[in-house]
Amino acid sequence: MTAPSKVCFVIPTYNEAQNITPMLRRLTGLYGGARFAFLIADDDSPDGTGKLAREFAESDPRVHVLRGARRGLGDAYVRGISHALGALGAEVVVQMDADFSHDPADAGKLIARLDEGAADVAIGSRYTEGGAIDASWSGLRRLLSSGGNQLARRVAGLAPVRDCTAGFKALAAPALRAARVGEIRVQGYAFQVVLLHRLLRAGARVVEEPIYFREREHGSTKLGMRDLFEFFCNVWWLRLSSRRTFIKFALTGLSGAVVNLGSFEALLALGMHKLIASPLAIELSIIWNFLLNNYWTFADRVMPGRKRVRGLKFNLVSLLTLALSYATFVMLSAALPETRPVWLQGCAILPAMAFNYFLNSSWTFREAARGAQKRT
Ligand code: GDD
Ligand code: MN
C-alpha cells in the first residue's frame, strides 16, 4: 500500500482576525497527523490576522504563514499554491476560505474523492444536486452569483461544471502543475474561473461534491467592483483564447465597427444630425454583421429550424442590439456633450456586441442538439 498523499490546505486571509484562530484550531483538530499542513496566505492584514496565525504556528509546526503585499485573492492563491507545491511538498492542495463559509469538515470528503483515484479535482459545490447557499442570501445576491456562474459556463466554456466560481476545492499536484498555476496573472476572484479553465484544458478529471455555503458571522466580504470587472473581462478572454468561432465573431464585429463608424462619419459629413446618423449607422453595421456571421462565422453550424424563423430571431436580436447601442449613445451624448460623437458611437458598440454575441450564438445561430458536433 502506498502512503497517503501529503495534503496542504491553502487559506488566503485578509482581515480575518476574528476567524483565523478558531479556523486553525478547528482544522488542526479535524485533520491530525503528519499528512496534513496548513498554509495561511496573509496579505499583511491591518487587523493583525498574520500575527495571530504566526502565534498559532509556534505551537503547531504543521501551520505555516506566507506574507505578502495585497494584490487580490488570485494573486494570494498563486503565491500560496506555488509555495505549497514547492517548499511544502504538497501532493494535494485544498483551497478554502477562512471565514467558515466553507465547513472545514467538508474538506475531508473532497480529499477522499482524490484519494479514491477517480478525480484530479474535487469541488465543494453549491450548485450541484444537494448543494445549497445560506438561506439568508437575498434574491439579488443569488441572482448575481448564479448569473456569474452561468456566464462562466456558457461564455468561458466551462459548461460541464456546475459551480465554476467555487473557492473550495481539493486539487491534485500533477493537475496543478499541468495547468501551470504559477503563470496565472489574474489578481482577484476571477482566479477561480481561470484556474478551472486551465485545469480542464490540461485534461483534469473534475467531480463535484455538494456543500452548504454558510454566510460568514465575522468580518465582511472583500469582493469589490474591480473583481467583478476583472471577472467579466476574463470570461470573454477565456472564450477568445479557446474558440475559433469567437475569433471570427470578433473579426466580424471589428469590421462591423468600421462600417458603423465610417458610415456615421460620412453621414455627419453630409450634414445629417448625429441623433439620426447614429441609428442609421448602427443598422448598417448590423446588416453587415448578419451577412458575415451567417456565411462565415457560423457557416459550419448545423442549425435547427427554418431559415425564415432564423431571420425573424435575427431581426429581433438586432432590434434589441440597436436599441441598446443607441440608448448607450444617447446617454453618453447627454453626459459628455463635448466629446466627439464618433468616440461615443464607438463606445456604444461594446455592450451591444457582448449582448449580440450571446443571443445570436445561443439562440439565432444555435446548433442543432447533439448530432452536430462541430463546435469550434
Ligand atoms: N490574502 C488575501 N488577499 N486574501 C484574500 C483577499 C486578498 O486580497 N481577498 C479575500 N481574501 C480571503 C478572505 O480573507 C477569505 O478568507 C477568502 O479570501 C474569501 O474571501 P471573501 O471575501 O470571504 O469571499 P466571498 O465570501 O465574497 O466569496 C466566496 O465565494 C465566491 C464565489 O461566490 C469565495 O469562496 C470566493 O473564492 C468565491 O469565488
Ligand atoms: Mn466569504
Side-chain angles (χ1 to χ4, degrees), residues 280-336:
L280 276 180
I282 298 169
E283 180 57 38
L284 255 176
S285 70
I286 286 174
I287 294 169
W288 170 269
N289 280 9
F290 174 67
L291 294 176
L292 269 185
N293 279 333
N294 202 33
Y295 294 107
W296 186 53
T297 315
F298 300 110
D300 58 354
R301 287 198 175 182
V302 181
M303 288 170 276
R306 281 166 303 170
K307 280 217 175 65
R308 213 178 310 152
V309 178
R310 194 152 69 239
L312 268 174
K313 284 180 178 177
F314 182 81
N315 270 302
L316 193 62
V317 174
S318 301
L319 209 64
L320 293 170
T321 307
L322 179 96
L324 182 63
S325 192
Y326 188 50
T328 314
F329 175 76
V330 172
M331 278 190 310
L332 288 173
S333 291
L336 307 162

Side-chain angles (χ1 to χ4, degrees), residues 53-123:
R54 278 187 293 278
E55 276 167 21
F56 196 100
E58 277 167 24
S59 66
D60 191 330
R62 300 177 305 150
V63 176
H64 307 263
V65 184
L66 190 71
R67 54 195 298 189
R70 188 176 185 203
R71 282 193 292 268
L73 178 66
D75 193 79
Y77 261 130
V78 170
R79 283 182 280 125
I81 292 175
S82 303
H83 189 74
L85 292 177
L88 301 181
E91 290 161 300
V92 168
V93 168
V94 176
Q95 59 158 152
M96 69 180 271
D97 297 348
D99 59 2
F100 286 94
S101 280
H102 301 142
D103 184 348
D106 287 337
K109 289 191 260 176
L110 302 182
I111 297 164
R113 296 297 295 271
L114 262 55
D115 283 345
E116 288 163 12
D120 307 300
V121 176
I123 300 177

Side-chain angles (χ1 to χ4, degrees), residues 100-290:
F100 286 94
S101 280
H102 301 142
D103 184 348
D106 287 337
K109 289 191 260 176
L110 302 182
I111 297 164
R113 296 297 295 271
L114 262 55
D115 283 345
E116 288 163 12
D120 307 300
V121 176
I123 300 177
S125 176
R126 300 159 296 177
Y127 295 118
T128 195
E129 175 108 26
I133 284 171
D134 203 296
S136 70
W137 272 38
S138 69
L140 181 70
R141 205 159 156 208
R142 276 167 207 277
L143 196 74
L144 274 176
S145 172
S146 71
N149 229 332
Q150 287 303 328
L151 217 59
R153 294 182 68 198
R154 314 244 166 255
V155 179
L158 305 175
V161 176
R162 306 299 293 261
D163 193 344
C164 301
T165 54
F168 196 18
K169 304 185 197 81
L171 308 142
L176 285 170
R177 291 206 178 86
R180 300 206 299 269
V181 175
E183 292 172 18
I184 295 179
R185 289 290 169 267
V186 289
Q187 300 205 313
Y189 288 61
F191 171 79
Q192 314 292 11
V193 168
V194 174
L195 172 65
L196 188 63
H197 189 263
R198 282 174 166 254
L199 287 164
L200 287 172
R201 283 246 296 227
R205 298 159 302 164
V206 178
V207 294
E208 289 181 82
E209 191 67 33
I211 60 147
Y212 179 71
F213 184 95
R214 276 181 58 201
E215 183 55 5
R216 61 157 77 227
E217 277 171 27
H218 304 289
S220 55
T221 178
K222 280 89 204 175
L223 181 85
M225 279 309 285
R226 195 186 176 288
D227 293 288
L228 295 182
F229 182 72
E230 190 188 35
F231 175 84
F232 188 79
C233 293
N234 268 281
V235 170
W236 289 94
W237 180 246
L238 290 175
R239 178 168 200 130
L240 173 76
S241 65
S242 61
R243 295 263 175 122
R244 217 181 43 180
T245 305
F246 186 78
I247 295 175
K248 284 187 181 179
F249 177 81
L251 288 175
T252 302
L254 219 61
S255 68
V258 172
V259 169
N260 181 340
L261 300 180
S263 56
F264 184 60
E265 283 285 61
L267 292 172
L268 290 183
L270 288 173
M272 192 179 275
H273 190 273
K274 66 177 180 182
L275 290 181
I276 297 169
S278 171
L280 276 180
I282 298 169
E283 180 57 38
L284 255 176
S285 70
I286 286 174
I287 294 169
W288 170 269
N289 280 9
F290 174 67

Side-chain angles (χ1 to χ4, degrees), residues 21-37:
T21 308
M23 174 52 77
L24 280 170
R25 208 174 282 141
R26 180 111 170 87
L27 279 171
T28 50
L30 276 169
Y31 305 102
R35 182 187 181 191
F36 298 98

